[in-house]
């Protein structure tokens, strides 16, 4: 967990499913991880309120396509903030879709890092996408729309 690796950082865990939030709360409490806050909300709702452009970094795993992740992260990130997306095998179509959507999302693909071939991480990659300017006024879209109708 990032909160353990970065004890000086405040880490917000955003999850829309209540039972998963309860598990994360119990796990953080049991492990005495004090710098974690579990938020039972959707990222779109968080970005429409108190979470708009307040985060230095957003990380995600198993959420959706890169363009969807960039769209969900953009309104949460401060300008020059970074999205780090944990993905599996590289997908050229998905990467092109992100490139096509990047300008409209105020996001810029910056790097793709190979995680290596350690047990459980074969073909895994970290996609680093940087916020390139202020959040466009049309973001966030309504909850679920980014996944149903991805940009790019």
């Amino acid at each position: 967990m990032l909160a353990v690796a970065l004890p000086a950082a405040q880490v917000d865990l955003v999850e829309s499913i209540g039972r998963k939030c309860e598990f994360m709360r119990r796990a953080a409490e049991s492990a005495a991880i004090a710098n974690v806050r579990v938020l039972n909300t959707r990222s779109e709702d968080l970005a429409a309120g108190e979470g708009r452009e307040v985060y230095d970094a957003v990380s995600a795993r198993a959420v959706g396509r890169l363009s969807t992740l960039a769209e969900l992260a953009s309104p949460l990130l401060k300008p020059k903030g970074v999205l780090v997306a944990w993905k599996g095998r590289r997908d050229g179509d998905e990467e092109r879709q992100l490139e096509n959507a990047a300008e409209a999302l105020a996001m810029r693909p910056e790097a793709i890092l190979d995680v290596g071939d350690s047990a459980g991480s074969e073909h895994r990659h970290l996609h680093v996408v940087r916020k390139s300017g202020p959040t466009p006024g049309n973001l966030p879209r309504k909850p679920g729309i980014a996944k149903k109708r991805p940009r790019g």
Side-chain angles (χ1 to χ4, degrees):
M1 184 185 286
L2 284 175
V4 173
L6 303 169
Q10 174 60 44
V11 177
D12 288 348
L13 306 176
V14 179
E15 173 57 59
S16 65
I17 299 172
R19 65 181 166 76
K20 291 181 181 180
C21 288
E22 187 54 35
F23 171 80
M24 290 187 290
R25 279 188 194 100
R26 285 194 322 265
E29 187 177 297
S30 295
I33 304 170
N35 60 330
V36 166
R37 182 172 70 151
V38 178
L39 304 175
N40 186 193
T41 189
R42 293 183 64 102
S43 63
E44 298 97 331
D45 293 332
L46 180 61
E50 70 176 85
R52 188 169 187 84
E53 292 191 327
V54 299
Y55 293 96
D56 295 310
V58 170
S59 67
R61 181 188 165 278
V63 173
R65 296 183 67 75
L66 288 168
S67 63
T68 300
L69 292 172
E71 179 172 341
L72 295 173
S74 179
L76 294 169
L77 289 168
K78 295 175 182 177
K80 298 187 180 170
V82 66
L83 163 66
V84 179
W86 175 272
K87 299 290 287 181
R89 193 178 305 269
R90 289 188 62 181
D91 179 334
D93 288 337
E94 185 176 7
E95 291 170 13
R96 277 187 292 285
Q97 185 180 30
L98 173 61
E99 285 283 347
N100 293 339
E103 187 175 338
L105 301 174
M107 298 290 281
R108 181 184 67 249
E110 198 166 85
I112 302 170
L113 309 172
D114 188 344
V115 175
D117 59 1
S118 300
S121 64
E122 187 178 3
H123 305 296
R124 304 272 182 205
H125 296 84
L126 295 175
H127 290 259
V128 180
V129 185
R130 184 152 318 263
K131 180 101 176 255
S132 59
T135 302
N138 62 347
L139 294 180
R141 293 192 281 173
K142 291 181 182 179
I145 299 299
K147 192 168 187 174
K148 289 178 189 169
R149 291 194 297 265
R151 301 198 186 233

